[in-house]
Amino acid sequence: MAAAQRPRISFRPAKERESAHQRGPEGRRNVLPHGSLGVVARESLAGLAMMSPPQLRAEWRRLHRGRLLPDGLSADLVCRAVAWRMQERCHGGLPPARVRELARLAKQICDGGAIELEREWTVKPGTRLVRQWRGRTYRVLALDHGFQFEDRNYSSLTPIAREITGAAWSGPRFFGLKRRTGQNLVARDDDEA
């Protein structure tokens, strides 16, 4: 018994879509509404699974104008890449900062095979943070879940910085764990201090 064929989905610009009024056998429009969401977009994504590899490659070329399809991609990965691009057109893409970060990581992989991830600052339990402020030295001990300052426990560094300075400071910045440019510094363990 042969499987039922789904209607072919065409992805046409809005002007062509409005003038042609093409509909599939089930009476549904065979288009992806660019910049809008809806049933048609979901059906278009679902229709990708029914496309043959040559149809997927053609769709890739249409969506990625000027960019070649990488060699060695399986039909499943091409389908996922096409679906990503379709959703990106509807929802918008990644923020520019995230795109730059991904490009930086890709360059590192191409250059040396290893990547250097920029991680959020973490302080191991037992680490003692020391900060001088207006002629006085302040010491904070990192605990498993929070920090200890002057025999009181805090869930984060920010209220400690506020208590010391009397102003709204970022706790990690006040204690030198994070620079203004976003670069992280390494805290020393208690036995190294």
Side-chain angles (χ1 to χ4, degrees):
M1 186 167 139
Q5 291 275 337
R6 288 188 57 121
R8 226 185 220 177
I9 298 172
S10 67
F11 304 93
R12 301 174 67 182
K15 288 180 183 176
E16 290 180 32
R17 182 175 50 209
E18 294 305 320
S19 63
H21 298 291
Q22 289 192 346
R23 296 185 181 272
E26 299 172 24
R28 296 184 189 137
R29 284 187 180 236
N30 294 329
V31 294
L32 173 67
H34 296 289
S36 64
L37 302 174
V39 175
V40 177
R42 285 191 294 271
E43 289 174 0
S44 298
L45 289 171
L48 290 175
M50 304 305 251
M51 288 185 177
S52 67
Q55 289 173 319
L56 286 171
R57 285 192 294 274
E59 190 58 24
W60 170 278
R61 285 190 299 272
R62 189 188 70 74
L63 291 170
H64 296 86
R65 292 186 182 113
R67 290 180 37 205
L68 296 174
L69 178 68
D71 292 333
L73 290 184
S74 67
D76 179 58
L77 285 177
V78 175
C79 182
R80 290 171 188 251
V82 168
W84 168 267
R85 184 67 172 174
M86 289 168 63
Q87 292 176 49
E88 182 181 42
R89 281 188 167 185
C90 287
H91 297 284
L94 292 172
R98 190 68 64 205
V99 171
R100 285 191 303 271
E101 179 68 10
L102 290 171
R104 181 185 70 79
L105 294 173
K107 185 178 182 321
Q108 285 181 359
I109 289 174
C110 289
D111 291 348
I115 58 174
E116 181 181 317
L117 295 175
E118 227 180 277
R119 294 184 355 186
E120 295 253 343
W121 61 272
T122 57
V123 179
K124 294 180 184 177
T127 302
R128 190 170 304 276
L129 303 172
V130 180
R131 173 70 152 96
Q132 287 188 349
W133 177 257
R134 299 199 174 164
R136 185 168 171 215
T137 302
Y138 298 92
R139 288 180 173 78
V140 175
L141 177 66
L143 306 173
D144 286 334
H145 300 287
F147 301 90
Q148 185 179 40
F149 173 65
E150 296 184 345
D151 297 324
R152 290 188 309 252
N153 292 339
Y154 296 85
S155 60
S156 74
L157 289 172
T158 300
I160 299 171
R162 186 174 294 121
E163 185 176 326
I164 292 171
T165 64
W169 268 77
S170 161
R173 242 176 84 198
F174 178 79
F175 285 97
L177 298 174
K178 194 170 190 177
R179 293 184 183 164
R180 186 176 289 237
T181 61
Q183 296 175 330
N184 295 332
L185 300 176
V186 179
R188 296 187 318 187
D189 281 44
D190 195 29
D191 51 286
E192 295 177 10

